[in-house]
Amino acid sequence: MPNLLHRPFGSHGKVHEITPASAGWRYVGFSLYLLRAGETAAEVTGDREVILVMVEGKANVEGAGQDWGVFGERMSVFEKSPPHCLYLPNDSAWKAVAETDCVIAVCTASGKGGHKARRIGPDGITLTQRGEGTNTRYINNIAMENEDYCDSLLVTEVFTPAGHWSSYPSHRHDEDDFPRITYLEETYYHRINPADGFGIQRVYTDDLQLNETVAVHDGDVVCVPRGHHPCGAPHGFEMYYLNVMAGPLRKWRFVAAPPVEHLMR
């Protein structure tokens, strides 16, 4: 099995590039650019649809034959303000020119030509609490099931306070049996505040044939091919992650791990 944990392979330019082939799966792709002011990133989408997420900083973005202007507002993702994003269909192209130092996530999945290019956020994205107690976390839904913006992609941001758990109670979405459960591959792009801290993520199946626990550091990506995938933020360090999911059906249905099923609400 390919490695689940991916460290950035550089500190400038493109620092992550996860493809279906490199991940050993079929649907989700994820790349990340760290640009300095004045630098450019550009790609063609091919047979993939794309959501560009301005994680931090500002950039002028062109895509699908339009100049969309300057995207971005927050200089730190931990400001927790709504992100500026752009959806691009397959068979298009995009270019971003950094106005400040910036972080741009490129979320991809199979495109079917069913949706037009459009802005997503910051309008219409509201930070929402989920869970209770030390399972409380905060969500910026970018393009989940209720937002009919994409053919395949499901994308969201999650902020987990220090000392809390997230993607918990443990759940899985690794079978194509809608409406009981859907098959969705998933990536987690992690950020930690302060940046010299760490978090924990476990990826495991009920039979423990897959059972890996990794320490995630600022800028790491974790691939979840199947199984449950909870995260923990130690006392003193808050956690952010950007989730990208996709599969044969753009529906998010999951099944809880039996030991924690009673905690689901």
Side-chain angles (χ1 to χ4, degrees):
M1 175 186 294
N3 289 336
L4 303 186
L5 177 63
H6 299 262
R7 310 274 191 210
F9 50 71
S11 58
H12 175 239
K14 182 180 278 191
V15 300
H16 281 292
E17 186 169 23
I18 294 163
T19 66
S22 69
W25 58 29
R26 292 180 288 166
Y27 296 98
V28 170
F30 181 82
S31 298
L32 192 84
Y33 287 91
L34 304 181
L35 301 181
R36 299 175 185 136
E39 293 181 336
T40 299
E43 293 184 0
V44 294
T45 64
D47 62 357
R48 314 284 289 170
E49 64 176 3
V50 171
I51 292 180
L52 302 178
V53 179
M54 290 298 305
V55 179
E56 291 175 333
K58 299 180 181 182
N60 192 92
V61 181
E62 299 175 14
Q66 298 183 55
D67 185 341
W68 297 86
V70 176
F71 277 62
E73 182 176 0
R74 61 192 186 193
M75 292 297 105
S76 165
V77 72
F78 289 100
E79 293 171 21
K80 303 181 181 67
S81 55
H84 295 217
C85 311
L86 179 66
Y87 171 79
L88 295 160
N90 51 290
D91 298 320
S92 59
W94 62 269
K95 179 175 77 170
V97 180
E99 301 242 327
T100 67
D101 291 359
C102 65
V103 180
I104 303 174
V106 186
C107 315
T108 79
S110 304
K112 304 170 186 175
H115 292 80
K116 295 181 179 180
R118 59 166 296 154
R119 282 182 176 269
I120 303 174
D123 294 342
I125 298 177
T126 301
L127 192 68
T128 304
Q129 181 177 325
R130 185 178 296 166
E132 61 184 13
T134 55
N135 198 43
T136 301
R137 62 273 195 208
Y138 300 89
I139 317 295
N140 275 332
N141 281 329
I142 295 170
M144 292 299 287
E145 188 177 330
N146 288 337
E147 292 81 41
D148 184 22
Y149 301 156
C150 318
D151 299 333
S152 302
L153 281 166
L154 296 163
V155 180
T156 193
E157 295 185 317
V158 180
F159 298 87
T160 306
H164 285 217
W165 286 88
S166 194
S167 290
Y168 185 87
S170 301
H171 61 273
R172 61 183 178 89
H173 37 75
D174 54 9
E175 294 180 64
D176 187 8
D177 187 24
F178 181 78
R180 182 180 68 90
I181 186 173
T182 49
Y183 175 86
L184 295 169
E185 302 157 355
E186 187 168 19
T187 57
Y188 280 67
Y189 165 60
H190 286 279
R191 298 293 300 273
I192 306 294
N193 185 37
D196 58 356
F198 71 96
I200 297 293
Q201 185 159 21
R202 185 185 181 199
V203 182
Y204 67 102
T205 53
D206 290 326
D207 62 8
L208 301 184
Q209 291 298 306
L210 174 60
N211 186 21
E212 295 197 25
T213 302
V214 296
V216 294
H217 295 85
D218 190 56
D220 288 351
V221 173
V222 174
C223 290
V224 181
R226 63 185 188 277
H228 311 286
H229 36 279
C231 302
H235 176 66
F237 300 103
E238 61 180 326
M239 172 187 284
Y240 160 94
Y241 51 80
L242 175 65
N243 281 139
V244 183
M245 296 185 285
L249 183 66
R250 191 175 181 264
K251 303 285 186 183
W252 181 44
R253 299 292 185 276
F254 53 83
V255 172
V260 299
E261 189 174 9
H262 66 285
L263 298 174
M264 299 295 290
R265 296 192 174 185

